[in-house]
Amino acid sequence: MQEARAAYAHAYRVKHLGEQADAWYQASRLTEYIAAVSDHATSLPPGQERTEIEAWLTFADAHLQHLTESVSAPKLPTPPKPSGDNLKPFLGHWSPYGPRSY
């Protein structure tokens, strides 16, 4: 059971690492995209189209700020206490509920 708990914690952290990497990649892509849209907006004459793009950029910048904050300080996550069902994939043919449970 101890080995299964350790394997579960490792798998949980690997999944979290992938999610952090995905968020970082998304933040990088959005940064480039927002910069390109901003450059385009500054080339437009004052008017409704520019105003709408600037409003969208305000939203996009706020979203990017939130995303960047969650990516900027990655921490080793503490896995939640596993249930028996969480441990099943790491126990092979053993039952998480005891030797007589299947």
Side-chain angles (χ1 to χ4, degrees), residues 37 45 48:
V37 171
Q48 183 177 356

Side-chain angles (χ1 to χ4, degrees), residues 24-98:
W24 174 83
Y25 180 69
Q26 182 181 12
S28 297
R29 285 183 38 228
L30 284 175
T31 298
E32 290 180 34
Y33 179 67
I34 290 169
V37 171
S38 182
D39 288 346
H40 171 69
T42 59
S43 71
L44 296 174
Q48 183 177 356
E49 182 180 10
R50 183 174 177 163
T51 302
E52 289 174 0
I53 290 174
E54 288 171 344
W56 181 87
L57 283 169
T58 300
F59 163 78
D61 282 335
H63 175 69
L64 182 60
Q65 179 69 27
H66 174 73
L67 188 60
T68 302
E69 287 172 3
S70 66
V71 173
S72 64
K75 297 176 184 171
L76 183 65
T78 301
K81 184 176 179 179
S83 68
D85 287 341
N86 294 133
L87 294 177
K88 278 183 181 180
F90 307 102
L91 288 170
H93 64 282
W94 297 100
S95 169
Y97 304 108

